[in-house]
Amino acid sequence: SRTMADSTAMMARFLALHPKKIDLSLGRMERILPLLGDPHRRLPPTIHVAGTNGKGSTIAFMRAMLEAAGRRVHVYTSPHLVRFHERIRLAGTLVEEERLTEAFRRCEEANGNDPITIFEITTAAALLLFAEASADVLLLEVGLGGRYDATNVIDRPAAAVITPVSMDHMEYLGDTITKIAGEKAGIIKRGCPAVFAEQSLEGRMVLEAEAERLRAGPVLIGGQDFRTYSENGKLIFQDTEGLLELPLPRLGGQHQHLNAGTAIAGLRAAFGDSIPEAAIARGLQTVDWPGRLQLLRGNVTRYAPGAAEIWLDGGHNEDGGRVLAAAMEEMQRCAPRPLVMIAGMLSTKDSTAFLSAFRPLSPELFAIGIAGQDAARSASDVADQARKAGLSATVAGGLADALSRIGDRRWDAAPRVLITGSLYLAGEALALDGTIPA
């Protein structure tokens, strides 16, 4: 449609404004925001979220809990899976094309031909939209790192939340946990509350030192000031205020228990006990976050009619592989089936580290490329990486081809299929399935 082409065509123009897609610095944001009337100073109370894995899920939990409590919530996340509009949620609803295009137009006018990355100019547009639409809370996800990320223009967040820090984007953030944690710690602000999910020792030391230097407070640390665990089919959240006995979250996998706990701690740090326990419980049951251990039930089942279960997860780094393999292992333990993986990955990711986590499950793996992604590894490269990780791998001609091959084979029992390795592949799978995030 003509309208869809508008925002898409504008983004194509934005790409020409800066030779690099990513160039971490705040200078260009500090230049454009005053020209737009400083929207970042006119936002509702903001929870700023950084971390390597679990940022989006933690935000999804917070949003569900806040909405269950009757609050209107703006949300900014990235990347999108199917359409750019998924990144900007205004008071509960994804941004409409017309509003998005208008915000883009104002940013383009303010910026002129000055260099600015596509993430920076689209973030400026998001901040403009958030400032001009009324809401009670803004949940703001960092794009990359923290310290020099385009979102890091918020002076006084209601809380800074940092999910687990691990190895990813080393080419931008450094090649040790200490360096990466130092970048994430850049969102901690003087005198403002900070919440850290359970971290490795190196990561935690960096975050605590920065919180202390900035006299952030209160500082809540996972495993110390709050704990989350499951017991008798319940999720237990415990902090200095006491114990909450809650339903298990709708999002699958043990790692989502920890993300849910970080979300609860984040809301408590920001808003005290004004979010009732009933809303927290309801949020755990209504939460929705596409592309994370999501069971596909649409068109993809036509390609592989014999495959009773097709799961999708956008995990793509070593830690993501670990938590995803643990979740699959749990499924295999409860209801064993032949496990088949369809994997596509970007060349910037440590594919062997990600895939190694699945070795104990001895899956059969179909390696594919990712449609329309220049940075994607070729199918044969993914297959090589999988073999290096100790998995048996076959090259397929893409997602539909891999699914058809699984569907054509005769199995002793209907297989469990996991499509994984990249959020871009997750987007391709959702588009093929006909499942558009709303």
Side-chain angles (χ1 to χ4, degrees):
S1 65
R2 189 192 72 79
T3 50
M4 249 322 273
D6 280 352
S7 60
T8 313
M10 292 180 89
M11 282 191 283
R13 285 210 296 276
F14 297 158
L15 270 174
L17 292 170
H18 197 289
K20 286 200 290 219
K21 211 159 149 192
I22 296 170
D23 180 7
L24 298 178
S25 130
L26 287 173
R28 292 175 296 275
M29 289 301 283
E30 285 161 356
R31 175 177 55 70
I32 193 173
L33 290 172
L35 301 172
L36 296 167
D38 288 322
H40 60 304
R41 307 217 188 282
R42 297 183 280 126
L43 298 170
T46 299
I47 297 182
H48 201 183
V49 183
T52 308
N53 288 322
K55 296 189 292 291
S57 299
T58 301
I59 284 178
F61 279 121
M62 289 197 278
R63 176 189 147 219
M65 292 165 187
L66 286 162
E67 289 182 344
R71 310 289 173 99
R72 290 164 310 154
V73 189
H74 288 334
V75 186
Y76 188 56
T77 52
S78 60
H80 57 277
L81 296 174
V82 181
R83 304 168 67 220
F84 180 87
H85 306 59
E86 295 162 36
R87 296 176 179 222
I88 300 172
R89 194 175 278 278
L90 297 175
T93 315
L94 295 189
V95 66
E96 289 156 355
E97 170 65 14
E98 212 167 309
R99 279 174 99 163
L100 181 64
T101 311
E102 175 57 16
F104 279 177
R105 188 192 61 70
R106 288 165 65 188
C107 291
E108 190 170 37
E109 209 164 85
N111 184 72
N113 289 319
D114 285 337
I116 191 164
T117 68
I118 186 153
F119 184 72
E120 289 163 347
I121 196 165
T122 52
T123 297
L127 294 172
L128 195 55
L129 289 162
F130 294 139
E132 293 177 358
S134 148
D136 302 308
V137 184
L138 165 60
L139 302 175
L140 183 69
E141 183 188 337
V142 163
L144 183 62
R147 189 173 306 280
Y148 298 112
D149 183 73
T151 62
N152 201 21
V153 290
I154 311 298
D155 296 327
R156 296 200 56 79
V161 173
I162 300 179
T163 67
V165 175
S166 58
M167 302 300 272
D168 201 357
H169 300 293
M170 284 83 85
E171 67 277 33
Y172 299 109
L173 305 178
D175 54 4
T176 64
I177 293 291
T178 302
K179 285 180 186 163
I180 294 173
E183 291 303 311
K184 312 281 183 196
I187 71 162
I188 301 168
K189 296 294 179 338
R190 184 169 296 283
C192 295
V195 174
F196 308 143
E198 257 180 80
Q199 303 286 347
S200 64
L201 183 61
E202 313 96 298
R204 178 176 157 167
M205 283 168 70
V206 173
L207 299 179
E208 281 193 62
E210 185 66 349
E212 203 165 306
R213 186 181 77 79
L214 291 170
R215 300 206 176 99
V219 178
L220 303 175
I221 299 168
Q224 177 184 305
D225 305 302
F226 65 94
R227 294 197 313 130
T228 320
Y229 53 95
S230 56
E231 197 174 80
N232 305 329
K234 294 268 185 213
L235 184 74
I236 310 296
F237 174 88
Q238 192 178 3
D239 64 5
T240 50
E241 306 297 304
L243 199 102
L244 298 182
E245 201 172 284
L246 301 159
L248 289 174
R250 188 176 153 209
L251 300 181
Q254 286 289 323
H255 58 294
Q256 294 296 9
H257 297 182
L258 295 177
N259 290 333
T262 305
I264 298 167
L267 292 180
R268 290 190 149 190
F271 305 118
D273 52 11
S274 69
I275 310 299
E277 183 175 342
I280 291 172
R282 186 160 160 65
L284 288 168
Q285 295 173 296
T286 56
V287 64
D288 180 42
W289 189 228
R292 281 62 175 192
L293 260 194
Q294 179 178 1
L295 185 59
L296 297 183
R297 298 196 172 92
N299 297 337
V300 298
T301 53
R302 286 213 314 262
Y303 288 92
E309 282 185 11
I310 301 177
W311 294 89
L312 173 66
D313 193 280
H316 52 265
N317 54 33
E318 186 172 358
D319 237 33
R322 200 173 44 74
V323 298
L324 182 54
M328 296 316 286
E329 199 172 334
E330 177 109 338
M331 279 185 211
Q332 292 291 82
R333 206 176 50 239
C334 300
R337 295 166 178 264
L339 178 63
V340 187
M341 289 174 70
I342 300 175
M345 298 196 72
L346 298 186
S347 55
T348 50
K349 302 297 170 191
D350 185 344
S351 306
T352 312
F354 173 77
L355 294 168
S356 293
F358 298 92
R359 188 168 38 209
L361 297 166
S362 11
E364 207 175 309
L365 183 136
F366 285 94
I368 59 172
I370 304 173
Q373 274 305 317
D374 300 341
R377 292 182 186 275
S378 69
S380 58
D381 184 5
V382 174
D384 289 343
Q385 300 279 328
R387 291 183 196 116
K388 239 190 259 177
L391 306 179
S392 75
T394 311
V395 171
L399 186 52
D401 178 51
L403 287 164
S404 305
R405 291 206 210 180
I406 296 166
D408 290 344
R409 177 136 22 122
R410 295 187 71 116
W411 301 87
D412 299 336
R416 178 171 287 132
V417 179
L418 171 65
I419 302 168
T420 190
S422 166
L423 284 167
Y424 295 107
L425 178 60
E428 191 185 327
L430 288 174
L432 184 70
D433 197 49
T435 313
I436 306 289

